[in-house]
């Protein structure tokens, strides 16, 4: 994983800036012969796209995806399929407002990458954060949608499990609720309460962080690899690469530090189809390799850095000043990070599936 | 990062099993002309090596490192230096006890990689966990010692900041204390209290988790890169690849989720040498690129899985049984993870230093 | 180099099929701050594009390139520059004739990748050879044009030096002649003779191979690296990856086998600016590292496989048949391979420049 | 392929200098469960090792290989097998003569990497050429021996087919003869003649180049991949990375340039087990993917640069001087390149086998 490319056998390269003509992704290494359509990809993109409730940015983007390559419809069966060659996906930017950028051109916005891009490159696309914009995540979601097609046996879902200091009650957890509220939250009660909370945050000219939990069911034992190719290490890299993410946890995560070895042990019992685990503190991964239990990853997103409340900063000429961001922004970027987290889980798993198959010749573990 | 190799320009490949004749690492891409010696590497290895207090495993390994390649001592200056070619480092295993392995041969130990390696590969080196043993981390520490030589301007230190549920008091934090207690803990008061606590855990036949904080000072602005080559993403991968790690945090980490945008903003002021930050919730990284502030990473280690208390498990023939581990084991593997975390910080930074220099021609940011 | 990506620090990923809506390339890792424009890239594309003489395919493609990302024009200086983020370049396909593909759909054309793509993937884009079409090389040329901007001190030129069995006379070699004939040939006398020869080949319903020589002047000593990152190895991979290439030579090339050590030695003499070589059998590379002398690479291109003369083949149902190709094809694909060879030289050198700078901190050798 | 690592899924990293304590290789990504032994690897090493006839260097090295990791002998079956983890192989250097290196320390030997290493790194291991020594190729041969175990269905053989200007007569070609002469030559008549020729070269204080042909039989259709992952491109990189190689050809190679499309077409006929080719100008590769026919690669090796005849050169202080090399050297390094070429063929094929299997789930093509 380096530069703008993620993955090894199944891999993708994203490109594009917030206010350029378009953004896109090239997915390379996809297995051939998989039925695919723009609609299948659009479905995931539509979940991430802005402007779907008052709790996300009001920027209007259709995020309509076009498949430019890597697929073929044989006239004899009339089904569009992957060919094994690179799949180029393009999304037009349609709502880049023309505006005066001089404020952010000449100031470093706290929490943004303005200062660091400027230091690194000596040049900075100050229009809508350029490459550092969360707009890039649409490309990830598109890649993730292709990845899902590679591992249809795996069910990947995610939920917002914390907004600001407010955690969900896992007792209320119901995957079916995720699409019934504007927060992708599996706890309908929490989601209800968060509405007022987030309205307050927004009206106060502030923003708030969040925690997202992503769960993959149906991952067989055996995916992943020691030592630097651990499934957990790749998931950590994948999630930490998402804009604004500051922490990644697998299974028990940070809580594992507080447990004793007696408590933390996921004991095993003989099952009809082989050994089973009595708990899943491991989050479905031991030694970097999947156990067959659900793969559970959580990641924490910091509050949106673009807020109306003025913050102290400096100009690019190193003079003290203040800045407040008046644009269209998500009061809680964590919300739209939910489908993004799913996408990153999908690309990591698809890649490890192919890598495992390459080394061992098997799709899964040796079985029982 | 895949297979057993970590890094891009500065990279290393580790090999070796717990009970094989030796372990080692090949460090590739090191800049030429750097003075080096086995002693410089040994210093870091000695901090990680087992048997240094009653709180770590009693396995006795000298971990004496030999440099087999990649260096040259010109008779005209008599200084051993790196040549730019691969540096092969080898450590003999000297204390692999001959014993009866049949118990762990035929049982999957909960929390260990026994089941997953078996599922993945269909063959498992059951002697001392083979490749999954934490013994591999000696190789990382050796690579990290070389990495430190590449970036001498960067000071990398780490401390245990939590043992089980017991956190340090940051008010007592003093780097000078780290080497004054058996826990690499910067809070001497906490370290004192942990002695009794850990004795209790050990006597109870259990173990406990921990949190380690690694801090790199002297990293200039500009290292790191968008999007999948983020400094934060590589650090997450690096730390999560360490045995038993279940969570990685950058800066405010998980806590960032609970903050508002107003609180989380690291405000800036004009300084004599350019912009300065008034706080460091970012942990020294914005948009995946270093800010110039200390890079702060924490990672959580689960409790040692090898415990004396019997746990339920199954045999490789899928029959219910119990297992307890009588070998020599650390009651808190987090302790020895402190120098390992430093090493992984060092290798990530050395790699990003070279990558940044390659793309931009500068060692640091554009400066002020 | 794998999949559809070439290069390490300076790298690019191409996508697109012959008869899809468009083709393109994402160039990643480009240094920031370099002035760039679509025109600069177009210049190289125009040299490769089809239909420029009766000796290349009559397919009409403008090959007009659009820059979709990775550049920024600061309103304060009005110059479009690279930003260090991925540069996405797109070229529309405009002349994909609608036609009856059933002949090539059901037959494997000898010399083409029809059979092998079908065997590998089980699905084959039979429209204009899909991904296997030489149309992909437009993307390379676009990437090469960007690479040239990274190393402006290096002058890269190429010439056809053999067409069929007819070699040029190096006594007539004059770079200024390359653009004065339809063959990119530095020997005007040979070029003149080849016109009639190639007309004859074309009229006979056949085609012919060629050899291209690419020369890079201004490469300083020190670029390249042992052992598997040799400049020569990367050039070999680069040139061999071009469609229809069957051989790659560096410097003396195949002839080196016939020389004695006495003859082959490039002797050295003290020069004002350091050691100089009295000959260049090495082709500017020793031990995989540049010497400072011109880097000289030749590659041989097989004759175009699409010919009017019927050849024996089989159907996809494994039945004997014949096939002849009536489409628009180059009688000598080697001609248009000239700018492609230049492009591949440029991308290899740009990549090695950045890699060398990353490891050593210098742009060139240590100098004298 | 970069730095000192070759390959993607099946990959290896070599290390070590000519006059260091040892050299070695770490083979990573090997499939698990393959029976292996030091003897299996030794067999190939013994073919490459020096001092086996008067036509190779008289340096005495046993090249005894030790397996340090990545294998396991389960006491229940008593067979040493690969475990899927990195296989570390080590070979001691035993015959590094202590001598006065001041001559080569202070002079650049023509044809050697002395000048370029010095320019690149500013430091040079002048003892026996250090890392640039052909001694590194022992590590390749060891890796190749492991690769052969991964693809036992493929038979890889090589022959010297040209020594200096003297080519073999393919009419005499007989694989069985390769081990009956000191040149690994399949034409016994040519081998006989070469004895006197090479004696003359040696006595004249000179050396001579050679061409080696490597043939892999049993490669199924479907291995390899477009565009930059072409089997041909990887073979070109592999062979060109061998010391002293200046040209690589696939199938008809350079001769393809002289052929017409009518001649070059490998026509096809229906066979019982699917389509067959009537000729193999393609060298078993079309569009970068294997056809099922033998994969044929040739590479040209320049004459040994170390010769007794004095050649003009300069000192490291840029003063004119002369140098002759009195050490123990091969008069034709091409001879020992024969097993090296086989090894590189093996590693490329093993890697492509795993990559193909990863992407498609099949070991071979779709078949008939």
């Amino acid at each position: 994983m380096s530069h703008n490319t993620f993955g090894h056998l199944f891999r993708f390269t994203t490109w594009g800036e917030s206010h350029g003509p378009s953004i896109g992704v090239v997915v390379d290494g996809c297995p051939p012969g998989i039925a695919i359509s723009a609609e299948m990809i659009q479905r995931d993109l539509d979940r991430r796209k802005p402007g779907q409730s008052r709790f996300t940015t009001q920027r209007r983007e259709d995020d309509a995806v076009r498949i430019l390559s890597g697929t073929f419809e044989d006239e004899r069966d009339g089904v569009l399929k992957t060919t094994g060659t690179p799949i180029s996906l393009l999304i037009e930017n349609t709502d880049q407002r023309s505006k005066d950028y001089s404020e952010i051109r000449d100031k470093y916005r706290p929490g943004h990458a303005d200062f660091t891009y400027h230091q690194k490159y000596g040049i900075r696309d100050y229009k809508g954060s350029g490459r550092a914009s969360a707009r890039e995540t649409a490309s990830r979601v598109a890649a993730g949608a292709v990845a899902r097609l590679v591992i249809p046996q795996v069910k990947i879902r995610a939920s917002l499990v914390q907004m600001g200091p407010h955690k969900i009650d896992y007792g209320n957890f119901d995957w079916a609720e995720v699409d019934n509220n504007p927060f992708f939250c599996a706890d309908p009660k929490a989601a209800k309460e968060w509405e007022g909370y987030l309205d307050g945050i927004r009206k106060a000219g502030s923003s708030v962080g969040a925690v997202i939990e992503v769960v993959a069911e149906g991952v067989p034992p055996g995916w992943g690899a020691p030592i630097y190719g651990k499934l957990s290490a790749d998931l950590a890299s994948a999630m930490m690469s998402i804009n604004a993410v500051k922490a990644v946890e697998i299974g028990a995560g940070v809580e594992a530090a507080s447990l004793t070895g007696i408590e933390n042990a996921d004991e095993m019992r003989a099952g009809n189809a082989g050994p089973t685990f009595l708990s899943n503190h491991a989050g479905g991964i031991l030694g970097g390799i999947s156990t067959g239990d659900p793969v559970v990853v959580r990641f924490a997103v910091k509050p949106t850095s673009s807020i109306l409340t003025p913050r102290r900063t400096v100009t690019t000429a190193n003079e003290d000043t203040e800045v407040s961001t008046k644009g269209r922004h998500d009061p809680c970027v964590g919300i739209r990070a939910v489908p993004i987290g799913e996408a990153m889980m999908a690309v990591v798993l698809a890649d490890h599936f192919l890598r495992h198959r390459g080394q061992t010749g098997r799709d899964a573990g040796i079985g029982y």
Side-chain angles (χ1 to χ4, degrees), chain A residues 214-287:
Chain A
V214 190
V215 179
E217 291 169 280
V219 177
W223 292 5
I227 296 289
Y228 304 108
K230 279 178 173 155
L231 188 51
S232 40
D234 281 357
L235 286 167
S237 169
M239 300 306 170
M240 196 67 92
S241 77
I242 300 172
N243 305 48
V245 172
K246 301 304 284 185
V248 181
E249 304 182 274
I250 308 285
V254 171
E255 273 304 297
S258 304
L259 299 175
T260 64
I262 292 173
E263 295 161 341
N264 184 62
D266 293 324
E267 294 183 299
M268 302 177 81
R269 292 284 84 181
N272 292 334
T276 58
F277 292 91
L278 303 182
S279 54
N280 189 18
H281 293 98
I285 303 173
L286 284 173

Side-chain angles (χ1 to χ4, degrees), chain A residues 203-353:
Chain A
K203 281 168 191 160
S206 192
S207 62
V208 73
V211 176
I212 291 91
E213 182 167 310
V214 190
V215 179
E217 291 169 280
V219 177
W223 292 5
I227 296 289
Y228 304 108
K230 279 178 173 155
L231 188 51
S232 40
D234 281 357
L235 286 167
S237 169
M239 300 306 170
M240 196 67 92
S241 77
I242 300 172
N243 305 48
V245 172
K246 301 304 284 185
V248 181
E249 304 182 274
I250 308 285
V254 171
E255 273 304 297
S258 304
L259 299 175
T260 64
I262 292 173
E263 295 161 341
N264 184 62
D266 293 324
E267 294 183 299
M268 302 177 81
R269 292 284 84 181
N272 292 334
T276 58
F277 292 91
L278 303 182
S279 54
N280 189 18
H281 293 98
I285 303 173
L286 284 173
I289 300 168
S290 61
T291 64
D293 264 19
V295 174
V296 181
V297 179
R298 273 181 312 285
F299 59 95
V301 178
K302 71 178 182 183
T304 317
S305 296
S306 298
I307 51 176
L308 270 170
T309 304
R311 296 281 83 193
R312 286 178 292 172
T313 192
V314 295
T315 65
T316 55
N318 192 30
E319 298 158 330
D320 284 349
T321 184
E322 288 197 338
V323 69
S324 71
T325 316
K326 296 182 195 70
R328 307 155 292 173
H329 294 283
D330 298 87
C332 176
V333 280
I335 300 169
R336 288 167 59 209
V338 172
I340 301 166
E342 292 179 3
M344 295 311 289
M345 174 71 91
V347 295
V348 169
L349 291 175
D351 188 30
H352 273 284
F353 163 53

Side-chain angles (χ1 to χ4, degrees), chain A residues 13-299:
Chain A
T13 301
T14 70
W15 56 269
E17 281 83 27
S18 174
H19 284 52
S22 48
I23 61 171
V25 58
V26 182
V27 178
D28 201 0
C30 185
I34 299 176
I36 191 172
S37 68
E39 291 67 37
M40 293 176 186
I41 301 167
Q42 197 63 50
R43 218 174 290 155
D44 284 4
L45 281 168
D46 285 348
R47 297 182 76 224
R48 191 213 71 102
K49 81 175 176 196
Q52 305 198 95
S53 81
R54 70 178 185 276
F55 301 110
T56 59
T57 169
Q58 296 308 301
R59 176 170 172 165
R60 294 283 163 194
E61 290 288 356
D62 280 344
D63 280 357
V65 69
R66 289 169 57 210
I67 301 177
L68 299 183
S69 70
T71 60
F72 188 68
E73 183 182 317
D74 192 314
E75 59 206 26
R76 287 165 295 192
D77 73 2
V79 179
L80 192 73
K81 289 182 186 159
T82 61
T83 60
T85 61
I87 302 169
S88 178
L89 304 173
L90 187 137
I91 299 167
E92 308 277 346
N93 286 334
T94 56
D95 190 23
Q96 322 98 296
R97 296 212 183 148
S98 69
K99 58 169 256 188
D100 180 6
Y101 290 105
S102 56
E103 170 134 332
I104 54 174
R105 186 191 71 188
D106 298 328
K107 294 179 180 179
Y108 300 125
R109 293 166 299 161
H112 278 284
D114 299 348
F115 175 69
T116 54
Y117 269 63
H118 188 212
Q119 280 296 311
K120 183 175 191 71
Y121 296 123
I123 181 173
R124 173 168 67 91
D125 179 347
Y126 46 75
K127 298 184 180 174
S129 294
R131 183 68 181 150
S133 165
R135 181 124 192 81
E136 186 270 345
T137 58
S139 299
R140 299 170 185 246
V141 170
V146 178
R148 285 184 200 258
L149 302 177
V150 175
I151 45 168
Q153 71 275 37
V154 178
K155 183 160 205 162
I156 298 168
R157 294 180 290 196
S159 169
L160 210 67
V161 295
Q162 182 180 334
M163 179 183 287
H166 306 294
K167 302 184 181 186
I168 66 162
D169 177 348
Y170 276 86
N172 299 331
F173 201 100
D174 180 357
W175 283 118
E177 292 292 338
V178 163
D179 290 325
N180 294 340
N181 59 71
F183 305 120
F184 299 114
C185 179
D187 173 355
K189 197 145 157 294
K192 198 73 218 158
E193 291 162 4
W194 293 350
E195 292 198 14
Y197 169 71
L198 194 55
D199 275 333
I201 289 286
R202 190 158 47 93
K203 281 168 191 160
S206 192
S207 62
V208 73
V211 176
I212 291 91
E213 182 167 310
V214 190
V215 179
E217 291 169 280
V219 177
W223 292 5
I227 296 289
Y228 304 108
K230 279 178 173 155
L231 188 51
S232 40
D234 281 357
L235 286 167
S237 169
M239 300 306 170
M240 196 67 92
S241 77
I242 300 172
N243 305 48
V245 172
K246 301 304 284 185
V248 181
E249 304 182 274
I250 308 285
V254 171
E255 273 304 297
S258 304
L259 299 175
T260 64
I262 292 173
E263 295 161 341
N264 184 62
D266 293 324
E267 294 183 299
M268 302 177 81
R269 292 284 84 181
N272 292 334
T276 58
F277 292 91
L278 303 182
S279 54
N280 189 18
H281 293 98
I285 303 173
L286 284 173
I289 300 168
S290 61
T291 64
D293 264 19
V295 174
V296 181
V297 179
R298 273 181 312 285
F299 59 95

